[in-house]
Amino acid sequence: ILLSTFNGEKYLLQQLDSIFNQTYQNFLLCIRDDGSTDNTLLLLENYINEHPSYQDRIIFLATHSQQNIGYMNSFWGLLENCPPADYYAFCDQDDIWLPTKLEEGITFLQKENSKLPLLYFSSFYMCNEDLSVRHAMNVNYSSLKLADVLFYTPAYGFSIIINESLRSLALKTTNTHNLPHDGWLQKLAAAFGKIIYNSNCTTYYRRHGQAVTSSNKNIFSLLKNW
């Protein structure tokens, strides 16, 4: 599980609890802090001290240690420097995962050919700051092809799980740090592998503060390499 934090003290504890309450427990939580100026790091330290059984399952990646490099570079750094695994799940600091989120995703992925670059994602509940559900987010496609994701990002980062084949392919791409990880990964999966969608909602997605938007600039300079 790849978690990038930045000034996340307000909601981070709820997210951490939801991660460690997963029905699927065979995971390592990799955290990189993007230069927080609040009590995020102290909160993380206290959380580990209060849950000693989690100590061996949480690691902090020191790449660009405590520098603010932005969420795109932070997640790419996590993906590049985390220990190797069969699957990689991206995690935001302020959502809440439903208990079967990981189990459902891995069940879907295990049914597929692991040699293919695979990207799984699920529906989720769109919530306000207080976590009141506004509506469920669903994708109106039975299958997603490259044309469906070239200028649109149906899979939100926090809902994505990828396999090692897709990770390896993505890290071979030059200048990926100029693009959001979720958008580029699903383009690669659509072009060279498969995107798998689960219509069940597995996350409470909290919307608050300033929304971070992204664009597809530089996309053609990357695509031409393939």
Side-chain angles (χ1 to χ4, degrees):
I1 300 173
L2 308 180
L3 169 62
S4 178
T5 60
F6 177 69
N7 291 348
E9 63 179 358
K10 187 173 183 180
Y11 303 115
L12 183 55
L13 281 178
Q14 290 178 293
Q15 176 66 298
L16 291 172
D17 284 342
S18 75
I19 290 171
F20 283 97
N21 285 329
Q22 290 293 297
T23 55
Y24 182 90
Q25 285 287 308
N26 186 24
F27 64 80
L28 182 68
L29 176 60
C30 302
I31 302 173
R32 183 195 172 273
D33 185 73
D34 195 32
S36 290
T37 56
D38 65 356
N39 292 316
T40 293
L41 291 174
L42 178 61
L43 183 150
L44 288 168
E45 180 182 348
N46 290 338
Y47 190 83
I48 293 173
N49 290 335
E50 292 169 5
H51 301 85
S53 62
Y54 299 165
Q55 288 184 3
D56 294 335
R57 301 171 62 191
I58 300 175
I59 64 170
F60 291 89
L61 296 187
T63 176
H64 300 286
S65 180
Q66 297 184 12
Q67 295 181 31
N68 182 260
I69 58 176
Y71 84 96
M72 288 188 286
N73 283 307
S74 191
F75 273 113
W76 281 117
L78 279 162
L79 188 62
E80 184 174 3
N81 295 288
C82 68
D86 293 327
Y87 306 108
Y88 306 85
F90 297 97
C91 181
D92 289 347
Q93 65 186 359
D94 45 12
D95 302 325
I96 290 182
W97 287 10
L98 293 175
T100 60
K101 181 182 188 297
L102 287 178
E103 182 180 2
E104 290 185 44
I106 290 170
T107 298
F108 271 84
L109 286 162
Q110 287 177 336
K111 297 176 182 178
E112 304 293 336
N113 180 358
S114 63
K115 294 181 180 179
L116 288 175
L118 301 174
L119 182 146
Y120 158 93
F121 75 107
S122 69
S123 295
F124 58 90
Y125 294 112
M126 181 73 76
C127 303
N128 64 10
E129 186 171 359
D130 298 325
L131 221 63
S132 296
V133 175
R134 296 308 190 192
H135 55 84
M137 292 288 289
N138 293 294
V139 175
N140 296 319
Y141 294 90
S142 57
S143 63
L144 290 167
K145 306 301 181 184
L146 182 58
D148 300 316
V149 301
L150 192 56
F151 298 107
Y152 173 55
T153 306
Y156 286 47
F158 64 85
S159 69
I160 288 175
I161 305 175
I162 67 171
N163 69 345
E164 172 59 28
S165 180
L166 180 54
R167 173 183 178 268
S168 297
L169 177 62
L171 294 180
K172 293 176 183 176
T173 309
T174 58
N175 299 320
T176 51
H177 290 206
N178 294 325
L179 290 172
H181 61 286
D182 50 1
W184 184 239
L185 287 168
Q186 58 201 276
K187 291 171 177 61
L188 290 178
F192 301 103
K194 185 175 181 180
I195 296 178
I196 305 144
Y197 173 60
N198 176 11
S199 60
N200 289 339
C201 290
T202 65
T203 307
Y204 290 114
Y205 176 49
R206 194 191 311 260
R207 295 295 289 163
H208 62 92
Q210 299 97 355
V212 177
T213 59
S214 61
S215 69
N216 285 295
K217 67 178 182 178
N218 301 324
I219 190 66
F220 288 112
S221 64
L222 290 172
L223 288 173
K224 69 181 181 182
N225 294 324
W226 300 93

